[in-house]
Amino acid sequence: MKRITLLLLLLNSIIISAQIRGKVVDKNNETLPYVSIYLKNSLTGTTTNDSGLYELNLRKKGKHTIVFQFLGFKTLEKTVTITSFPFTLNVKLIPEEVLLNEVEVSSKENPANRIIRNVIANKEKNTNKSGKYTADFYSRGLFKIKDAPKKILGQEVGDLGGALDSTRSGIIYLSETISKITYQKKPKKFKEVIVASKVSGQDNGISFNQADEVNFNLYNNLITIGETDLFSPISDYAFSHYKFKLEGSFYDKNGKNIDKIKIIPKRENDNVFSGYIYVVEDDWAIYAADINATGSQINNPAIDVLHLKQDYNYDEKTQIWALILQTIDFKIGFLGFKMDGRFSASYTNYNFNPIYTKTSFGKEVLSFEKEATKKDSVYWNKLRPVPLTLEEKIDYIIKDSITTVHESKKYLDSVDTKSNRFKILSPILGYTYRNSYDKWRLNFGGLIGNTRFNTVQGFNTSLDINYSKRNNDYGNRWNAGIRLNYGFSEKKLRPTFSFSKSWNNFDKPLLTISGGIKVNQFDERNQIRNSANTVNSLFFKRNYAKFFEKTYARVAFSKEATNGIYFNSSLEYANRKPLLNSSDYSFFRKDRTYFTNNPIDRNSSLPAIEQHDVVTATVTTRINFANKYVSYPNARYNVRNKKYPTLYLSYKKTFGINDNNLSSDLVSLKATQRFRMGNFGDFRYNLKSGLFLNKKDISFVDYYHPLGNEIHLAPEDRINAFHILPYYRFSTNDRYAEMHLEHNFKGFLLSKVPLLNKLNFHTVIGAKTFFSGGTKPYTEYSIGLDNLGFGKWRFLRLDFVASHHDNTVHRGIAFSINIF
């Protein structure tokens, strides 16, 4: 009873803080969520919440005209005289009558096409009007789950920190952000300062409701959602992807004619929207948008549908149609989860004539004011522009009250006691012992996940034991571990150890010390994944991976030297020994004979190297030009400028301890970049070059090895490896150059072909080449189909490849699976 009384008192303290408050309903007394409410001749206002309730902060008493605007309903103006606060104003909105002009119906040209062409033609003029501004931004994020499964892939889901009720439903994420944004169109600059941030049930309060993340500007040609670019219905390429239909027109409160245009995708599974866009005649500006995209259109099978709604308001002083309200609703269904989400955002207090100085913008595009995550309920009740629903109020109160309990030693120990139980399958699947209060854990890697096969060791498995300790929430942590690898065929145990220490999440210094004895591929980047080599060996008797033994001690240090420049260095001593095959076992293809373990000549029983000792020093610098960054209270993250390539400069010095001929110097350079080319798809490249300063008869381990591939499964990183190049075929100790090009046309080509355009396949072409001193160039050309699948499940890609070298042509195929 005491808890209920306290809850009611808290709820009442929240409610009485309003200035003007009320409820908005339709003619059937159904509540209307996200109605725009503002003072007449102003861009300052608020919106209703999911329950149709609103609160409008107004300090001045007297006569005021309040405007209520909601898409599909007539705009209502209410003039009131306020003598005291709080002031209650409930209103009822009636549906808007959308009429279709007979002249428009009888026109030979589709009138909707004419309207959209005018909007496209006036985009530059309209966006220039709002070419710079400052504004206040408020956003709220809400995720609700229904009928959550008790287990996923055998793992207990639990109650998600108290978020789920007895029906396994509830709010799993609730957050709010208040910030100030600063924008300039030419040259494009943006800055956001978060004034207050709050997350239900978290004491740090760092939310992810940022203005730049939800900046879905329909005036741009492309709207980026996740990793996918969708074509705006008013993009320069709109008529290649959409059909339009004029549904009718109506007049707004300013007497302006508003056209309602239906957006119809030409191909359902293209990266497009469907729904409606509302256009202001003569101004040819957006009045509102009500559009949807499916999971297949976003290329995300977890999303059922995403709904984007925008409302604009007219500022008579500047004659600008400004965005004042945006809601993003989505439904997710994946692995038994059914979740509804919403991000709502309101923009107020626009200033379209700000005075900028040299310090107005910089490399920092997002920052938090001091104590932004520590604001109390009094602050939020005073400044929150959109009232909470009853469900949201209760969620805050309950979760914030149990946060202290959940952070107590008693509670954390009780949770750990349950999760730390050792189970019968723990030795096979793995086991973790946690001490959550003291922030450390001890992890044992399961044997099943560390069991592999290769012809050098036969079946081999590793026992991993790792201890990690987190000292604070700012990136100060350390980790220590050992690995015991045993090869059953060669009957040999190889131990290794590792230690790492990081100090902070800002310039990210990281020290790593490791050593021991291990089996290494000749190319330490792993020409073929060990799991893929296991499958190909056991099922097809093709042992593509080649190994040597390394006894080593290594120290490495990395750090961000300055924004956009990352420094990485290492120093290693190694004793390298050749290895020979010790197993001929396979599940199938007993008629075949395994290759030898010599990467230079697979049929030679001689080892590729002799035992030797070297010391290797490596320094690498990664450079991202014109980088910016975002600053959180506990971390800093870079924002790469995609207009420029990423450069990697590297120098590797190898010292032969007993044989100077093993010494070498390798200088290398790499440049990589991805272009988004609008209607024409995406283009990316990866260029590499290197030079051994003194060509010597060095160890084959120290050669440069272009990444090859001899299995039908495509390389993990297609832009960094060849499709059908035999492993180690062009390894070199001379100068070299390498080029990888790829263009994904998305739907640009096949969308023009009848019938095929219904499939929504994407055409991909590529070219790769490798040059090295003393050898003729090797070249690959490929053409493939991406986005293969059905419905929203499109995770396959298939490439047909032809290689050319020394007048010899080889052909092959490569496929890959990418769920997201």
Side-chain angles (χ1 to χ4, degrees), residues 321-376:
W321 286 93
L323 176 65
I324 58 172
L325 175 65
Q326 175 178 275
T327 58
I328 306 161
D329 294 273
F330 52 89
K331 291 183 179 293
I332 292 177
F334 197 66
L335 294 176
F337 278 96
K338 297 177 182 177
M339 185 167 66
D340 293 339
R342 165 174 284 176
F343 282 102
S344 58
S346 64
Y347 302 78
T348 58
N349 298 326
Y350 276 102
N351 175 12
F352 291 106
N353 294 294
I355 298 175
Y356 293 151
T357 65
K358 292 182 178 181
T359 60
S360 295
F361 297 97
K363 292 185 177 181
E364 187 179 56
V365 295
L366 173 73
S367 62
F368 283 67
E369 283 189 355
K370 189 177 181 180
E371 303 297 322
T373 62
K374 305 297 182 182
K375 304 296 186 183
D376 59 19

Side-chain angles (χ1 to χ4, degrees), residues 554-571:
R554 183 176 187 269
V555 59
F557 182 76
S558 61
K559 182 182 179 180
E560 186 176 33
T562 186
N563 182 45
I565 300 179
Y566 194 81
F567 170 82
N568 196 320
S569 63
S570 66
L571 180 67

Side-chain angles (χ1 to χ4, degrees), residues 113 230-234 237-245 261-277 290-298 305-306 751 757-758 760:
N113 289 353
L230 278 71
F231 292 98
S232 167
I234 57 170
Y237 328 110
F239 290 98
S240 296
H241 299 276
Y242 296 100
K243 295 183 289 185
F244 301 96
K245 180 183 178 183
I261 309 293
K262 186 175 183 180
I263 304 165
I264 307 167
K266 287 188 173 181
R267 294 164 297 277
E268 285 297 327
N269 293 320
D270 270 6
N271 300 135
V272 293
F273 296 97
S274 60
Y276 297 91
I277 187 169
D290 190 359
I291 54 182
N292 304 289
T294 63
S296 60
Q297 291 165 338
I298 303 171
V305 64
L306 182 144
S751 64
N757 58 14
K758 303 294 183 182
N760 196 33

Side-chain angles (χ1 to χ4, degrees), residues 30 79 101 123 294 333 355 387 392 472 530 696 769 794:
E30 296 290 334
T79 301
N101 193 311
K123 283 197 302 181
T294 63
I355 298 175
E392 291 166 344
N472 59 35
N530 289 323
K696 296 180 179 180
T769 189
R794 296 180 170 271

Side-chain angles (χ1 to χ4, degrees), residues 5 7 45 68 96 119 224 278 346 369 533 648 658 662 690 698 774:
T5 303
L7 187 62
F68 298 82
E96 183 71 69
V119 174
T224 301
Y278 296 76
S346 64
E369 283 189 355
N533 184 66
Y648 297 83
N658 300 314
L662 297 176
I698 62 176

Side-chain angles (χ1 to χ4, degrees), residues 109-123 233-236 238-239 244 279 284:
E109 181 190 11
N110 181 352
N113 289 353
R114 175 187 63 83
I115 294 168
I116 295 298
R117 285 195 186 96
N118 280 322
V119 174
I120 295 172
N122 285 271
K123 283 197 302 181
I234 57 170
S235 74
D236 296 341
F239 290 98
F244 301 96
V279 175
W284 307 117

Side-chain angles (χ1 to χ4, degrees), residues 165-192:
D165 59 20
S166 59
T167 67
R168 301 197 59 76
S169 303
I171 296 175
I172 61 172
Y173 178 77
L174 171 62
S175 67
E176 296 177 275
T177 298
I178 296 176
S179 61
K180 295 185 178 297
I181 56 178
T182 306
Y183 169 79
Q184 177 178 283
K185 179 183 176 183
K186 294 180 180 179
K188 186 177 179 181
K189 295 180 180 180
F190 183 87
K191 183 176 73 173
E192 178 177 9

Side-chain angles (χ1 to χ4, degrees), residues 576 612-616 652-666 692-699 702 733:
R576 300 164 175 170
H612 60 278
D613 298 273
V614 295
V615 172
T616 303
K652 178 182 176 183
K653 174 67 178 178
T654 302
F655 301 90
I657 295 179
N658 300 314
D659 185 353
N660 189 53
N661 287 326
L662 297 176
S663 299
S664 64
D665 298 85
L666 173 60
F692 286 86
L693 300 183
N694 296 298
K695 184 179 179 181
K696 296 180 179 180
D697 187 20
I698 62 176
S699 170
D702 297 313
N733 63 345

